[in-house]
């Protein structure tokens, strides 16, 4: 056995040994000479600075080629970039020569290998190139038999960046293992390029086309260096799951680049296809997860320059694909359609266009068909139709709404829309959308909406509401009407939705509808009116309850505009009587709410009125102190927090009030008077009729002179009573009903008791201080003067009074005119809330 292999073995050893000796000998005898010669000739052909830390020669390391190894190579860019940037930095560069050419003294460079390097090429706005480093005669063979006409370059782990500021192009990639073959020194040659590349970014103009993708290249090009033309013969580019056929040409000119390329793919991965379309054109679709394959062909043609980008046109189709939005638990399946996309419809009409035809899909078993066209995503013109039957629970799992949760029900839709978004004159819509047995909740509120059903009819920019009915937190409703500006409201920001409708309800419970605040606070709650909702509604409600307030047979009209709810002659039965309301609730004022109302009340049960209205925010006189039937004209204004806590400093009210068959029960001022006028019983004062005009402002009840004729006592009283129970009353009492002693006995206790000449004895008193321990004094002069002041009072409108007292309605023209006529100085009253001044 050994005899058979001994001879070949020794021959091999001899050959290897000879080669080793040849390499060592060549390196020793010729290495320094070759290095000096080649490096010198390379420098002669470059017009830039090159620095090399270490140079060595070997015929072993890259056998069968002789190699010059350059380590830590730095190349500066051409002027005017010198000193500012780096053109090249490489750990290693190998210059390879044919070994036998070297032995014959012919030093033609054949190959270049670059490893672990960074190349940065820049073209500035003036067209200067940082990589223009070869001298004009660099490709010409010189007298020393050295030639740079190499035909192969390879890159391993080379980061390549190209920036063209003039034509607004950017390419960033990592050449992991890439090879280029061609007669690079010739004016025209055939170039073959293949290898693995990682593309960081490809940007043309303002659009990103390929980012963060692995690519495999297999290109065949005809290179014409004279005319700067590159012709792609049938080549392939594979971007992860997308394999593209490439064919066409690119021409580089001084001011622009001309491109005419065709790309095609069959059964291409849909995710990979979407990844090369700019995100600005895909919109929200760029974040979706897609599965399936697409057959397509694309064409890129036109000029690339500072303010120009080429036309991209793609025809594509798919079958049995899937689409899942981010964070969704439902998937749109069995998608099929044919489509067309272009970033420019034409050179003259530079807007993008997307068309999807014969769209078919199913969402968790629910069928959908549609057609869609969109021209110009900046100012889109949309033409679409949809026909589908949706389970809303499954639809919500696919398209998660921002404000709704726990959605159930059915949607049947057969509708079409066409128009340019933002130009309502172009809108044309038709069809219907039917909701059946819909339930949902608001994410920011515990409020539940149940049993919603309706048919919505589309007409241009309107949505006609036909028999919308449902239940909101225990309150039923039925609506018929028209919603205007529906599409602008859907498609555009800060648009106003206009509603004109009839509203009917058997029962409304506002406690459940209004967002809850602190459950321990009886006045808790919150009111918010959308500033983007205008509403004009005829109202008919059988029953309405809110906290202690209850009303029946409510009829009238309300409007909502700019966050202000206006009540226009709203009539209701409440508190055993009737009320007519006119006024407004202004919720447009930041964190506070202004409530401003005029009310005509007839035969209200005054006990219920005070109880159900929370005693109007004061404790001076409450539902525990009053009985009777009240008829009144009331003006009322106040500021409330969003949680419906009243600002007592802001309360203003003027009430022309008549109370019939009334009782004043345990009213603290009367009890205090009763303690002073011994022998009187003022705990329960009954009277047939009591009339007065009472004003509330500055946290005080201002009571003009009024006569009380009752079974207990006849008296005339006036004065003020603050919310913290500080009183200042003037009282004239008729003592005929109280006297069961001789008059002189009272004279010694009270001072002077006068006879009016008709045998009626009168006592004149003032009562001041805290109601828990008021001070009484005889004050005939003060009482009489106070009575004299009750004569004529100027009638003022509500706005005039509020402007005078609080500075509200400063911009109202009628107020401004009256203020100019009045010269008297106004008293300014400070309010706790910063926004209490109505603008």
């Amino acid at each position: 056995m050994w005899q058979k292999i001994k001879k070949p073995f020794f021959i091999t050893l001899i050959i290897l040994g000879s080669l080793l000796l040849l390499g060592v000998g060549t390196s020793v005898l010729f290495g320094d000479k070759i290095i000096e010669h080649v490096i010198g000739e390379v420098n002669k052909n470059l017009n830039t600075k090159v620095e090399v830390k270490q140079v060595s020669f070997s015929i072993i390391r890259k056998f069968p080629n002789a190699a010059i190894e350059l380590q830590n190579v730095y190349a500066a860019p051409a002027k005017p970039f010198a000193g500012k940037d780096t053109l090249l930095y490489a750990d290693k560069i190998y210059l390879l020569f044919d070994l036998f050419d070297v032995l014959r003294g012919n030093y033609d460079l054949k190959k270049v290998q670059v490893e672990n390097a960074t190349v940065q090429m820049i073209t500035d706005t003036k067209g200067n190139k940082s990589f223009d480093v070869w001298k004009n005669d660099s490709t010409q063979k010189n007298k020393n038999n050295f030639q740079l006409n190499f035909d192969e370059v390879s890159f391993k782990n080379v980061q390549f960046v190209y920036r063209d500021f003039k034509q607004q192009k950017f390419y960033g990639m990592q050449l992991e293992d890439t090879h280029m073959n061609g007669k690079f020194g010739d004016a025209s040659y055939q170039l073959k390029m293949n290898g693995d590349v990682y593309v960081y970014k490809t940007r043309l103009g303002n659009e990103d086309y390929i980012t963060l993708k692995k690519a495999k290249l297999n290109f065949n090009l005809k290179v014409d260096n004279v005319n700067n033309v590159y012709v792609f013969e049938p080549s392939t580019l594979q971007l992860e799951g997308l394999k593209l056929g490439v064919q066409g040409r690119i021409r580089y000119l001084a001011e622009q680049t001309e491109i005419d390329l065709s790309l095609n793919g069959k059964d291409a991965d849909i995710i990979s296809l979407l990844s090369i379309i700019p995100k600005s054109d895909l919109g929200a679709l760029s974040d979706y997860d897609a599965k399936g394959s697409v057959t397509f062909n694309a064409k890129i043609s036109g000029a690339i320059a500072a303010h120009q980008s080429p036309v991209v046109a793609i025809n594509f189709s798919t079958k049995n694909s899937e689409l899942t939005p981010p964070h969704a638990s439902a998937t749109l399946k069995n998608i099929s359609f044919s489509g067309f996309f272009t970033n420019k419809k034409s050179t003259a009409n530079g807007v993008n266009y997307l068309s999807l035809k014969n769209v078919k899909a199913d969402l968790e078993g629910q069928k959908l068909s549609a057609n869609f066209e969109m021209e110009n995503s900046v100012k889109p013109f949309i033409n679409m139709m949809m026909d589908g039957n949706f389970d809303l629970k499954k639809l919500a799992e696919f398209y998660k709404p921002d404000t709704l949760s726990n959605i159930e029900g059915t949607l049947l839709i057969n509708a079409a829309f066409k128009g340019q978004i933002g130009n309502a004159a172009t809108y044309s819509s038709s069809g219907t959308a039917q909701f059946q047995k819909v339930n949902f909740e608001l994410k920011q509120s515990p409020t539940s909406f149940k049993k919603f059903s309706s048919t919505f009819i589309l007409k241009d920019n309107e949505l006609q509401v036909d028999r919308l009915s449902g239940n909101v937190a225990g309150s039923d409703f039925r609506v018929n009407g028209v919603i205007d500006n529906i599409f602008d409201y859907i498609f555009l920001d800060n648009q106003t939705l206009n509603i004109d409708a009839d509203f009917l309800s058997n029962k409304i419970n506002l406690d459940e509808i209004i967002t809850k605040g602190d459950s321990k606070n009886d006045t808790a709650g919150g009111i918010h009116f959308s500033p983007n909702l205008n509403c004009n509604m005829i109202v008919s409600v059988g029953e309405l309850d809110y906290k202690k307030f209850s009303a029946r047979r409510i009829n009238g009209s309300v409007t909502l505009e700019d966050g202000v709810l206006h009540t226009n002659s709203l009539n209701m039965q409440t508190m055993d009587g009737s009320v007519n309301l006119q006024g407004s609730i202004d919720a447009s004022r930041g964190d506070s709410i202004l409530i401003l109302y005029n009310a005509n009340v007839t035969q209200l049960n005054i006990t219920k009125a005070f109880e159900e209205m929370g005693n109007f925010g004061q404790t001076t006189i409450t539902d525990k102190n009053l009985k009777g039937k009240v008829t009144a004209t009331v003006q009322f204004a106040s500021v409330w927090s969003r949680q419906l806590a009243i600002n007592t400093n802001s309360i203003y009210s003027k009430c022309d009030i008549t109370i019939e068959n009334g009782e004043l029960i345990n009213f603290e001022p009367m009890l205090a008077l009763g303690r002073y006028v011994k022998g009187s019983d003022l705990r329960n004062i009954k009277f047939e009729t009591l009339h007065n005009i009472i004003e509330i402002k500055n946290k005080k009840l201002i009571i003009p002179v009024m006569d009380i004729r009752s079974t207990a006592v006849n008296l005339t009283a006036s004065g003020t009573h603050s919310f913290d129970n500080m009183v200042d009353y003037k009282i004239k009492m008729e003592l005929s009903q109280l006297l069961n002693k001789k008059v002189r006995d009272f004279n010694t206790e009270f001072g002077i008791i006068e006879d009016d000449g008709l045998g009626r004895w009168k006592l004149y008193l003032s009562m001041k201080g805290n109601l828990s321990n008021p001070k009484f004094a005889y004050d005939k002069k003060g009482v009489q003067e106070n009575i004299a002041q009750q004569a004529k009072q100027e009638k003022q409108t509500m706005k005039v009074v509020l402007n005078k007292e609080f500075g509200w309605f400063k911009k109202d023209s009628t107020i401004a005119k009256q203020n100019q006529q009045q010269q008297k100085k106004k008293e300014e009253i400070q309010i706790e809330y910063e926004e209490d001044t109505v603008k």
Side-chain angles (χ1 to χ4, degrees), residues 11-22:
I11 293 174
T12 303
L13 286 178
I14 292 171
I15 293 173
L16 291 175
S18 299
L19 291 174
L20 180 60
L21 290 173
L22 178 63

Side-chain angles (χ1 to χ4, degrees), residues 572-772:
M572 65 185 72
Q573 302 295 316
T574 183
M575 309 169 202
D576 301 336
S578 63
V579 176
N580 174 269
L581 286 176
Q582 295 183 17
S584 62
I585 300 175
D586 185 350
S588 68
R589 302 157 26 90
D591 292 333
S592 63
I593 299 169
L594 173 65
I595 297 179
L596 178 66
Y597 267 91
N598 294 330
N600 294 311
V601 301
T602 304
Q603 293 293 300
L604 259 62
N605 182 318
I606 195 170
T607 304
K608 289 185 177 180
F610 271 72
E611 178 185 9
E612 294 183 16
M613 299 307 296
N615 293 309
F616 301 96
Q618 52 81 45
T619 59
T620 300
I621 183 168
T622 71
D623 58 288
K624 306 298 182 184
N625 307 125
L626 290 169
K627 285 186 179 180
K629 292 287 186 177
V630 60
T631 298
T633 300
V634 181
Q635 296 175 321
F636 178 80
S638 61
V639 174
W640 302 63
S641 72
R642 290 286 182 184
Q643 290 71 37
L644 295 184
I646 192 170
N647 175 9
T648 55
N649 285 331
S650 71
I651 295 175
Y652 177 84
S653 181
K654 191 172 185 179
C655 180
D656 188 339
I657 184 170
T658 299
I659 303 175
E660 299 175 324
N661 299 320
E663 295 184 39
L664 198 59
I665 305 166
N666 294 326
F667 185 41
E668 190 61 34
M670 292 294 101
L671 295 179
L673 184 60
R675 289 191 295 269
Y676 184 72
V677 183
K678 296 179 176 62
S680 62
D681 185 2
L682 303 182
R683 290 175 298 177
N684 190 340
I685 300 175
K686 296 183 179 180
F687 51 88
E688 290 185 3
T689 303
L690 177 65
H691 175 264
N692 205 356
I693 300 176
I694 298 174
E695 199 171 14
I696 301 176
K697 63 181 179 180
N698 302 334
K699 299 175 70 173
K700 289 182 180 179
L701 274 75
I702 302 171
I703 304 172
V705 174
M706 65 178 176
D707 293 322
I708 300 176
R709 298 287 181 259
S710 71
T711 55
V713 65
N714 293 334
L715 59 84
T716 300
S718 65
T720 62
H721 192 143
S722 70
F723 287 6
D724 55 1
N725 276 333
M726 297 300 291
V727 298
D728 185 0
Y729 283 116
K730 308 295 184 182
I731 304 169
K732 180 179 72 173
M733 297 184 63
E734 295 183 7
L735 301 180
S736 303
Q737 298 159 294
L738 303 176
L739 294 179
N740 53 15
K741 297 182 180 181
K742 293 182 179 180
V743 172
R744 59 179 177 270
D745 294 334
F746 283 91
N747 284 340
T748 59
E749 186 172 355
F750 299 115
I752 300 173
I753 299 177
E754 297 186 1
D755 187 345
D756 63 357
L758 299 175
R760 295 175 297 188
W761 298 93
K762 302 185 184 300
L763 178 64
Y764 297 89
L765 297 172
S766 67
M767 183 171 67
K768 293 185 178 181
N770 192 288
L771 190 56
S772 62

Side-chain angles (χ1 to χ4, degrees), residues 474-500:
S475 301
D476 68 280
F477 71 93
R478 299 182 302 282
V479 176
N480 289 286
V482 176
I483 302 174
D484 188 29
N485 202 40
I486 182 67
F487 288 108
D488 277 348
Y489 185 79
I490 292 173
F491 292 126
L492 302 177
D493 294 330
N494 301 318
Q495 289 292 307
T496 300
L497 197 64
N498 303 309
I499 301 175
D500 192 349

Side-chain angles (χ1 to χ4, degrees), residues 463 465 468 479-486 489 496-503 532-538 558-560:
L463 187 65
V465 182
L468 171 61
V479 176
N480 289 286
V482 176
I483 302 174
D484 188 29
N485 202 40
I486 182 67
Y489 185 79
T496 300
L497 197 64
N498 303 309
I499 301 175
D500 192 349
D502 296 332
F503 180 91
N532 300 115
L533 178 64
N534 289 342
C535 181
N536 184 13
M537 192 168 290
I538 304 300
V558 296
T559 59
L560 177 64

Side-chain angles (χ1 to χ4, degrees), residues 297 378 499 551 590 740 747 802 818:
N297 61 77
V378 177
I499 301 175
N740 53 15
N747 284 340
L802 295 176
Q818 183 162 341

